[in-house]
Amino acid sequence: MAGTTPTPAAGRALNLTLATAASVAGFWAWNSVATLGAFYTQNLSLTPATTGILVAMPVFVGSLGRIVVGTLTDKYGGRAMFTFVLLAAIPPILLVSVGGLLGSFALVLGAGLLLGVAGTVFAVGIPFVSAWYEPARRGFATGVFGAGMGGTALAAFLNPRLVAGIGYFPTHLLISGVLVVMAGLVWFLMKEAPGWAPNHAPVLPKLLDAARTAVTWKMCFLYAVVFGGFVSFATYLPTYLRDVYTFDPAGAGARTAGFALAAVLARPVGGVLADKLGPKPVVLVALAAVAVLGWVVNLRPDGEVPAGATFVAMAAALGLGTGGVFAWVGVLSPAGKVGSISGIVSAAGGLGGYFPPLVMGATYDAATRSYSIGLLLLVGTALAALLFTLLAVQPRAGTAAVQRAR
């Protein structure tokens, strides 16, 4: 495989599949601390606030690291950067497991910071898959790749069960093994797009150039709301379901996996709809739904079906929005700058998911088992983003760019 050149169609399918699978592995590792929040709360005697800090640490570093990793992808290509990110996530995974065994909050926290490297996998994939597809189909490509965030669903469903079945340390060994295998597949099977060429410009000027582009900051804000909302729910939902609905770790993990899966399935739909209708209407509908559903979640719907349907609908709205926003990024980013711009935008999305768990933990009312303050802040933020999209983003900028490309 290493010495052959695939046809464009075959190359697209293979490399999009490999990139998405690598993203699944990276997101599984990235979310490993959050999905075992109940384990750490019990074994490390943590308060809701300190649990919020712990589960947010990988998100913080993974978010900031995307800025640099996205730019390096423009220079070294997706094959090299995917391999690097997957292998670099292995030592932190093992350190997290050692910290948990020793009962050391400081070690788990520090290793969780380093584990943030796994979250940078997203900034590798966006420029990589965008290079394989023409602008008119980049919404589809980035949407399918974005489904790799299904690794969070995998982590939420499997990790508590694996810990109960094979043990805490073997679970982390298994995740490390998956990372090794995926890195090998990427290195030996992945190819850069035929028209891709490395951008050897110095990193800092490239980042400054991307930062001076108006679309970068508009997309940063929108992605911070939609993807940040997904990340914050995916990381804190097990704790939320335990505190509000008294689920055990396995039950909370299964329901969090369902939440993440709904977002994963909706993301490619958002990308495809953005290709056909333009990103703006897709993002507007998604933000309106997030605002309404955030209010409904705050009302604490009782019963498995009402509560479950509300959270699934919320996940679908956030997934739709992430697909729509990154369709905008893939279309509007100038050639050679996709990595830099997508790195900054995806970093903003990750940072959008960093702060809500901290707010939720700090504002939790144990007496009433209420997270109202955090949820109402989500409603207000979604409404602000809705108005921003309506008034500040050019109505048909994405669609016009697509039509020009066609």
Side-chain angles (χ1 to χ4, degrees), residues 185-365:
L185 291 174
V186 165
W187 183 254
F188 290 108
L189 300 180
M190 186 172 274
K191 290 286 186 181
E192 302 297 336
W196 179 82
N199 186 330
H200 293 293
V203 171
L204 185 57
K206 285 174 63 180
L207 290 175
L208 292 175
D209 185 35
R212 286 192 290 265
T213 305
V215 70
T216 302
W217 296 108
K218 292 178 180 180
M219 296 301 106
C220 276
F221 173 57
L222 296 180
Y223 202 62
V225 176
V226 290
F227 185 73
F230 166 75
V231 170
S232 57
F233 268 105
T235 55
Y236 204 77
L237 194 54
T239 302
Y240 180 92
L241 293 176
R242 181 199 67 200
D243 292 341
V244 176
Y245 292 99
T246 65
F247 283 112
D248 61 21
R255 287 159 180 81
T256 302
F259 175 92
L261 182 61
V264 166
L265 295 175
R267 181 163 187 153
V269 175
V272 171
L273 289 176
D275 284 342
K276 295 182 178 298
L277 306 175
K280 185 167 186 174
V282 175
V283 175
L284 286 173
V285 169
L287 290 171
V290 169
V292 172
L293 292 165
W295 175 257
V296 176
V297 170
N298 176 59
L299 297 178
R300 290 194 283 186
D302 195 16
E304 184 77 17
V305 174
T310 301
F311 280 109
V312 167
M314 171 67 81
L318 291 168
L320 197 72
T322 57
V325 171
F326 247 102
W328 242 334
V329 175
V331 168
L332 297 180
S333 299
K337 298 182 183 179
V338 180
S340 302
I341 293 176
S342 64
I344 295 174
V345 173
S346 60
L351 288 175
Y354 170 72
F355 294 103
L358 302 181
V359 174
M360 296 288 274
T363 60
Y364 173 61
D365 187 343

Side-chain angles (χ1 to χ4, degrees), residues 18-218:
L18 286 170
T20 304
S23 182
V24 170
F27 271 87
W28 183 2
W30 194 38
N31 210 39
S32 59
V33 173
T35 53
L36 297 177
F39 173 89
Y40 295 118
T41 299
Q42 180 179 352
N43 288 272
L44 303 181
S45 302
L46 304 181
T47 65
T50 51
T51 299
I53 293 171
L54 186 67
V55 302
M57 283 303 102
V59 177
F60 179 70
V61 174
S63 303
L64 294 180
R66 290 177 179 188
I67 300 174
V68 176
V69 168
T71 304
L72 292 176
T73 302
D74 284 338
K75 182 175 183 179
Y76 296 108
R79 174 174 172 260
M81 292 306 298
F82 270 127
T83 305
F84 168 77
V85 167
L86 292 170
L87 293 178
I90 295 173
I93 278 284
L94 297 177
L95 283 174
V96 164
S97 66
V98 172
L101 287 176
L102 297 177
S104 171
F105 174 76
L107 183 54
V108 176
L109 184 68
L113 280 168
L114 297 176
L115 186 57
V117 69
T120 65
V121 69
F122 189 80
V124 179
I126 292 297
F128 176 78
V129 302
S130 293
W132 273 102
Y133 285 81
E134 64 273 17
R137 296 199 67 206
R138 284 178 185 165
F140 162 78
T142 57
V144 171
F145 169 73
M149 66 188 188
T152 59
L154 199 64
F157 184 79
L158 288 181
N159 287 0
R161 288 167 172 76
L162 287 171
V163 169
I166 65 175
Y168 174 77
F169 186 69
T171 295
H172 290 79
L173 287 179
L174 176 62
I175 297 171
S176 300
V178 170
L179 292 171
V180 170
V181 170
M182 195 64 239
L185 291 174
V186 165
W187 183 254
F188 290 108
L189 300 180
M190 186 172 274
K191 290 286 186 181
E192 302 297 336
W196 179 82
N199 186 330
H200 293 293
V203 171
L204 185 57
K206 285 174 63 180
L207 290 175
L208 292 175
D209 185 35
R212 286 192 290 265
T213 305
V215 70
T216 302
W217 296 108
K218 292 178 180 180

